[in-house]
Amino acid sequence: MSRLTARLKISAPSFIWRMSRDPLGFLTGLHRQHGTFFFVHSGQRKLYLTIEPELVREVLVSEGLKFSKSRGLEMTKRLLGNGLLTAGRELHLRQRRLVQPAFAKNRMAGYARVVVDTTREHLRRWRHGQFLDLSNEMMAITLDIITRTMFGDSIGDRTPLVAQAMHDCLESFNVGMIPLMPLMQHLPLESNRRFRRGRRQLDTILYDLIRQRRDTGDQGDFLSMLLMATDNGVAMSDEQLRDECMTIFLAGHETTANALSWTLALLAQHPFWMERLLLEIRTHGCEDYAALEICRWVTQEAMRLYPPAWVIARMAREPVQIGGESLEPGAVVIMSSAIAQRQAVYFPEPDSFRPERWEDAEHLPKFAYFPFGGGNRVCIGEHFARMEAVLVLAAVVAAWDYRMLDAMPAGHAGITLKPRGGLPVQLARRPVP
Ligand code: HEM
């Protein structure tokens, strides 16, 4: 029997308008009104929305192969080509096998060193009393980290160039979230020009690095692993390498930066947790990921309330049953972790920041919490990102105190969920205890 809680019809213009104004607010309102698994018919669109852990598991895992990524990603392909995030099923299977070793456990200690060193370098430039936007700073730190973990020293002094080019590309992406915007990519707009310029610059740097590095052997970075990877003796072409590098670049910094910004904002509102965190850091230092348990709870709880990749969508490629409901090919399932992870049945006081809930989270059903997705398309950088978020957080709060200049920011749900208006603060050097 179908577990559908409601069937709605929404006119296409109304749906598009509300999705482009405030997608998370709109979808949250629909769930509140119509339950945890409902159907929306809107123009040509046939959409199912669910936040039930069991159904999310069906879509991502048990029936996962009957779905593909939805068309929303087409815009992303303009930048990423056919990297892991955007690849279709067959290519994805092969590429995932090739890329996976770069994220193996035994590489993490080397990456952790880069995370700590890069963060400290950035923090040394901060000044007592300085006003700055922590969310921009987190973006700069994580972009620098991903650039160095990917290319090691070979990036040389090109990091600022990469940052500028990435910025140009991302700006126009956020425009690309708006439905119908794919049509606008062909217009002679300034944002399109900036996007093309940014992509050209990134391409030049990436191809250059790939060619230079073909014969240098393992340098301990991502690129070494990607260059060494083979499938039945066949290595990746320059173009495929470019796509994978670009994908890791894009997927691997804005999300972590947002997770960090939200964590820092929440900690400023919860001095008790800041104190516990500082105590932990004083006891264990700020480099030992395994020892920093409170840091882990705090980042995990921030990603519950504000998951950076706040929505996952899948399109049925063939007839498939979800929650006893028959989906036609072309139907899209939308699963928002930002909404799912605030269900009181799984998370008592769901809107409160309570890191202690992670002390004993064994009872949680799988997919009550899914900030990194799941199934065969689960985030390949999950362990890297968790380690990075904890080590950056520990380094920042160990050295710096900060006073938020505005109230707790609202979320801006574009491709990622970020603090609207950034996170303006005034810094104060943390006294040595
Ligand atoms: C807090 C940080 C991060 C969050 C919340 C996050 C979240 C996600 C989610 C939800 C997906 C699945 C999307 C879907 O199923 O449609 C994903 C995929 C992916 N992520 Fe992450 N991510 C983070 C950090 C990273 C990092 C650091 C990297 C790389 C260094 C990375 C690389 C990727 C890649 C390559 C994919 C595509 C995987 C595939 O389809 O096989 N992510 N991420």
Side-chain angles (χ1 to χ4, degrees), residues 60 69 73 84-86 92 96 103 146 222 244 247-248 251-253 255-256 259 303 307-309 311-314 370-374 376-382 384-386 388:
L60 294 182
K69 295 222 165 172
L73 274 173
L84 273 184
L85 203 61
T86 40
H92 176 263
R96 182 97 191 187
F103 291 90
I146 198 67
F222 279 128
E244 294 305 351
T247 299
I248 292 173
H253 81 282
T255 39
T256 319
M303 282 192 284
V311 64
I312 295 181
R314 290 290 187 273
F370 56 102
F372 294 97
N376 64 336
R377 309 294 296 237
V378 69
C379 176
I380 202 168
E382 173 173 355
F384 180 91
R386 284 177 187 274
E388 180 186 14

Side-chain angles (χ1 to χ4, degrees), residues 277-290:
L277 207 65
L278 288 168
L279 188 64
E280 176 175 87
I281 293 168
R282 277 179 211 129
T283 313
H284 298 288
C286 49
E287 296 186 22
D288 183 358
Y289 173 66

Side-chain angles (χ1 to χ4, degrees), residues 62-79:
S62 53
E63 301 294 331
L65 293 178
K66 297 186 180 149
F67 288 92
S68 60
K69 295 222 165 172
S70 73
R71 291 202 192 93
L73 274 173
E74 287 305 308
M75 279 296 284
T76 332
K77 272 196 174 176
R78 284 172 71 202
L79 180 62

Side-chain angles (χ1 to χ4, degrees), residues 135-152:
S135 137
N136 285 344
E137 294 298 314
M138 293 305 115
M139 202 74 151
I141 292 176
T142 55
L143 181 59
D144 215 358
I145 288 173
I146 198 67
T147 310
R148 293 188 200 181
T149 21
M150 184 119 75
F151 301 118

Side-chain angles (χ1 to χ4, degrees), residues 47-322:
L47 306 171
Y48 290 85
L49 287 94
T50 188
I51 49 172
E52 286 184 34
E54 178 52 27
L55 306 193
V56 174
R57 194 190 61 78
E58 285 181 15
V59 177
L60 294 182
V61 185
S62 53
E63 301 294 331
L65 293 178
K66 297 186 180 149
F67 288 92
S68 60
K69 295 222 165 172
S70 73
R71 291 202 192 93
L73 274 173
E74 287 305 308
M75 279 296 284
T76 332
K77 272 196 174 176
R78 284 172 71 202
L79 180 62
L80 303 183
N82 276 313
L84 273 184
L85 203 61
T86 40
R89 182 159 63 177
E90 283 72 26
L91 181 63
H92 176 263
L93 201 65
R94 171 173 176 266
Q95 286 306 117
R96 182 97 191 187
R97 266 203 313 267
L98 286 169
V99 176
Q100 195 80 54
F103 291 90
K105 268 216 167 84
N106 62 1
R107 311 286 292 188
M108 287 297 153
Y111 301 149
R113 196 64 264 149
V114 179
V115 170
V116 170
D117 292 347
T118 310
T119 309
R120 292 223 169 112
E121 232 172 79
H122 280 255
L123 297 183
R124 272 199 290 275
R125 289 183 225 137
W126 292 7
R127 294 287 165 257
H128 183 76
Q130 188 182 356
F131 292 91
L132 48 71
D133 181 340
L134 274 183
S135 137
N136 285 344
E137 294 298 314
M138 293 305 115
M139 202 74 151
I141 292 176
T142 55
L143 181 59
D144 215 358
I145 288 173
I146 198 67
T147 310
R148 293 188 200 181
T149 21
M150 184 119 75
F151 301 118
D153 295 333
S154 52
I155 190 77
D157 55 7
R158 284 176 283 192
T159 315
L161 257 181
V162 169
Q164 182 56 48
M166 201 45 134
H167 181 76
D168 286 348
C169 290
L170 286 177
E171 285 267 284
S172 87
F173 256 6
N174 282 332
V175 177
M177 259 308 271
I178 302 167
L180 294 187
M181 277 299 168
L183 296 175
M184 288 181 66
Q185 62 180 280
H186 303 294
L187 301 178
L189 300 172
E190 176 52 28
S191 62
N192 285 336
R193 264 194 296 275
R194 260 208 316 274
F195 173 80
R196 281 194 294 270
R197 190 181 61 208
R199 189 182 53 188
R200 243 190 340 265
Q201 275 171 348
L202 285 173
D203 277 354
T204 308
I205 298 174
L206 289 177
Y207 280 124
D208 202 37
L209 285 164
I210 290 167
R211 285 190 201 112
Q212 273 174 17
R213 290 283 298 279
R214 274 235 175 257
D215 307 313
T216 54
D218 189 359
Q219 310 271 314
D221 51 29
F222 279 128
L223 184 59
S224 297
M225 293 303 282
L226 298 181
L227 282 163
M228 290 189 298
T230 54
D231 184 34
N232 287 328
V234 182
M236 280 185 254
S237 65
D238 283 2
E239 194 185 0
Q240 192 62 46
L241 278 164
R242 174 261 179 223
D243 290 354
E244 294 305 351
C245 288
M246 196 73 105
T247 299
I248 292 173
F249 243 159
L250 185 77
H253 81 282
E254 188 174 350
T255 39
T256 319
N258 290 337
L260 278 160
S261 299
W262 287 117
T263 309
L264 290 167
L266 286 161
L267 280 172
Q269 321 289 319
H270 295 87
F272 168 79
W273 283 101
M274 182 66 101
E275 280 310 311
R276 282 197 70 178
L277 207 65
L278 288 168
L279 188 64
E280 176 175 87
I281 293 168
R282 277 179 211 129
T283 313
H284 298 288
C286 49
E287 296 186 22
D288 183 358
Y289 173 66
L292 296 173
E293 186 178 43
I294 307 283
C295 282
R296 285 203 299 275
W297 294 355
V298 164
T299 46
Q300 202 147 312
E301 179 70 347
M303 282 192 284
R304 181 183 72 78
L305 290 166
Y306 300 100
W310 65 278
V311 64
I312 295 181
R314 290 290 187 273
M315 187 169 70
R317 299 154 49 105
E318 52 190 273
V320 53
Q321 286 237 330
I322 296 298

